[in-house]
Amino acid sequence: MSKIGVVGIGTMGKCILDKLIENGYDVVATDKSSYAKEYIKNKGATLLETPFEIAQETKIIIMSLPTPQVVLTVVGGEDGLCGALTEEHIVVDTSTVAPETSKQAKEMVETKGAQYVDAPILGRPAAVGNWLMPAGGNGDAIEKVTPILRTVAKAVVNVGETGSGNALKLLNQLMFSTINAISSEVMVLAEKVGIDKKTFYESVANSGAATVNGLFCEVGKRIVDDRYQDPTFTVALLCKDAQLGIDMAKSNGITPLIAEYVQMYNLNAKRRHGDEDTSALAKLFKEIYEH
């Protein structure tokens, strides 16, 4: 299992590629982006053109993809993985998608005798190596890929059947959405009530108060510095993840009250600042308060 395939070299895919290479794995990878293709070659991995070719070259395949539709296309579309999968393959999806998407992809993969694990990432890019990955799927398959995933994660946790990994991730993303929103809002409110935003941020971040958390520290610092253009995680992706979480809740007969209210502001920010960092919600709140 020394050769690993990676499909999708975006923000998280790059982290995965880098760590696999650092840990001595022979990596074959593919991505449609010309930038990603150059990145693959510059890192010393083997660039292939399609997911189908990836499945021909290796039995362990890790996907890191942006949307549910892209996941299903990579798995079962033209030149997709399924064209070359066998009972020896395990497909690991680290993408953040709906549990139902994971189940659909699993059904496609299982028609070829292969196994499917959904193992999304809890952690920021800078924390690669210390991520936690909740994994859903066959226990034996999860056990087999765990040593590989431990190159990027401190722990891989079996959380149940296929789709469970993404169910847990989407719950986390709803918390992310809410914490991001209130962190952005209070930074704007601080100046509206006469407190310098840098003073507020540094006082709270260094206080040891129960409100201090990693996301506030990161978002608050970006707002202090007016640094929104080099996103760790974009408003558009936040909207995607939060909506998937809301839809998951509604499919179980529940309307999430706080999350859905926050999503209204997320979507409003997306229209103006979709490609910027999630801290750009502060710009939206500032616009609202000035009218």
Side-chain angles (χ1 to χ4, degrees), residues 149-206:
L149 298 181
R150 284 294 303 273
T151 62
V152 296
K154 65 181 178 182
V156 178
V157 181
N158 185 336
V159 295
E161 64 184 15
T162 302
S164 298
N166 265 304
L168 191 151
K169 174 63 184 285
L170 292 181
L171 293 172
N172 177 81
Q173 294 305 87
L174 292 181
M175 287 198 297
F176 181 107
S177 174
T178 303
I179 296 167
N180 180 77
I182 191 60
S183 297
S184 299
E185 184 177 26
V186 296
M187 290 295 294
V188 177
L189 280 173
E191 293 200 311
K192 291 298 180 181
V193 300
I195 303 294
D196 175 74
K197 65 182 179 181
K198 182 177 180 181
T199 299
F200 174 77
Y201 168 73
E202 291 180 346
S203 297
V204 174
N206 296 313

Side-chain angles (χ1 to χ4, degrees), residues 72-185:
L72 297 179
T73 299
V74 164
V75 172
E78 185 178 357
D79 292 325
L81 297 174
C82 279
L85 292 179
T86 69
E87 60 185 15
E88 297 179 351
H89 283 85
I90 301 175
V91 179
V92 180
D93 188 16
T94 68
S95 316
T96 301
V97 296
E100 187 57 36
T101 300
S102 296
K103 293 174 184 176
Q104 290 177 49
K106 175 199 171 190
E107 290 175 3
M108 293 180 189
V109 164
E110 285 187 340
T111 64
K112 302 296 181 176
Q115 298 190 78
Y116 188 90
V117 173
D118 63 300
I121 296 160
L122 297 187
R124 304 290 255 178
V128 61
N130 203 38
W131 294 340
L132 186 139
M133 301 178 79
N138 177 276
D140 289 340
I142 293 171
E143 187 175 347
K144 286 178 183 177
V145 298
T146 290
I148 298 165
L149 298 181
R150 284 294 303 273
T151 62
V152 296
K154 65 181 178 182
V156 178
V157 181
N158 185 336
V159 295
E161 64 184 15
T162 302
S164 298
N166 265 304
L168 191 151
K169 174 63 184 285
L170 292 181
L171 293 172
N172 177 81
Q173 294 305 87
L174 292 181
M175 287 198 297
F176 181 107
S177 174
T178 303
I179 296 167
N180 180 77
I182 191 60
S183 297
S184 299
E185 184 177 26

Side-chain angles (χ1 to χ4, degrees), residues 62 82 209 251 255:
I62 300 173
C82 279
S251 72
T255 298

Side-chain angles (χ1 to χ4, degrees), residues 276-287:
E276 297 179 40
D277 188 81
T278 60
S279 54
L281 254 70
K283 295 166 78 171
L284 172 68
F285 289 122
K286 188 174 181 179
E287 291 164 7

